[in-house]
């Protein structure tokens, strides 16, 4: 990812370490794939994920709990990054041929993914 200088490479590697449990690192590295576009959105444009990465616990390596909604669990920061990535990959994979008529708030960087 080359969208921002400095910390973006650290964020990209952190995101890749989280997301490689569900997606091949080769797909994440390829900027032309929906998965590659999704990880770059997570790292460069998604203010919620960026904030989670920037507040990673330096001792445990854990991301902080998400700051938005979810009463019934699933509040781990890494789980939120994974959910947002999956939804972004879905968006990119279904909008490549023709754009969505209504984006339904998908990829809104400041909204919780449940509000997309």
């Amino acid at each position: 990812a080359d969208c921002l200088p400095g910390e973006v490479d650290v964020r990209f590697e952190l995101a890749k370490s989280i997301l490689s449990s569900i997606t091949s690192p080769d797909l994440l590295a390829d900027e032309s794939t929906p998965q590659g576009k999704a990880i770059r959105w997570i790292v460069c444009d998604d203010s919620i994920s960026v904030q989670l990465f920037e507040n990673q616990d330096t001792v445990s390596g854990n991301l902080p709990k998400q700051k938005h909604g979810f009463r019934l669990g699933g509040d781990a920061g890494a789980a939120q990054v994974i959910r947002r990535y999956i939804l972004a990959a879905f968006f990119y994979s279904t909008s490549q041929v023709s754009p969505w008529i209504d984006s339904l708030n998908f990829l809104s960087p400041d909204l919780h993914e449940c509000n997309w």
Side-chain angles (χ1 to χ4, degrees):
D2 56 12
C3 53
L4 300 171
E7 292 184 17
V8 74
D9 291 331
V10 173
R11 289 197 309 257
F12 185 82
E13 290 304 315
L14 179 55
K16 190 167 72 171
S17 72
I18 293 168
L19 299 172
S20 63
S21 66
I22 61 169
T23 301
S24 160
D26 291 339
L27 287 173
L28 294 172
D30 185 346
E31 295 181 30
S32 69
T33 66
Q35 297 88 345
K37 291 175 183 179
I39 192 173
R40 281 158 185 79
W41 177 78
I42 289 287
V43 169
C44 298
D45 300 317
D46 181 20
S47 58
I48 290 176
S49 293
V50 167
Q51 186 176 38
L52 290 169
F53 294 143
E54 290 177 350
N55 291 299
Q56 179 186 27
D57 185 294
T58 56
V59 176
S60 70
N62 293 331
L63 298 182
K65 291 185 175 188
Q66 64 177 337
K67 292 181 170 45
H68 302 81
F70 245 77
R71 291 185 189 161
L72 303 174
D75 64 352
Q80 186 173 28
V81 169
I82 289 170
R83 286 193 307 270
R84 293 175 77 79
Y85 161 77
I86 290 169
L87 290 167
F90 171 77
F91 177 82
Y92 286 120
S93 67
T94 59
S95 64
Q96 284 187 342
V97 175
S98 62
W100 288 11
I101 294 171
D102 184 348
S103 68
L104 304 172
N105 293 323
F106 263 67
L107 305 189
S108 296
D110 296 319
L111 284 180
H112 189 278
E113 60 276 10
C114 291
N115 294 320
W116 293 355

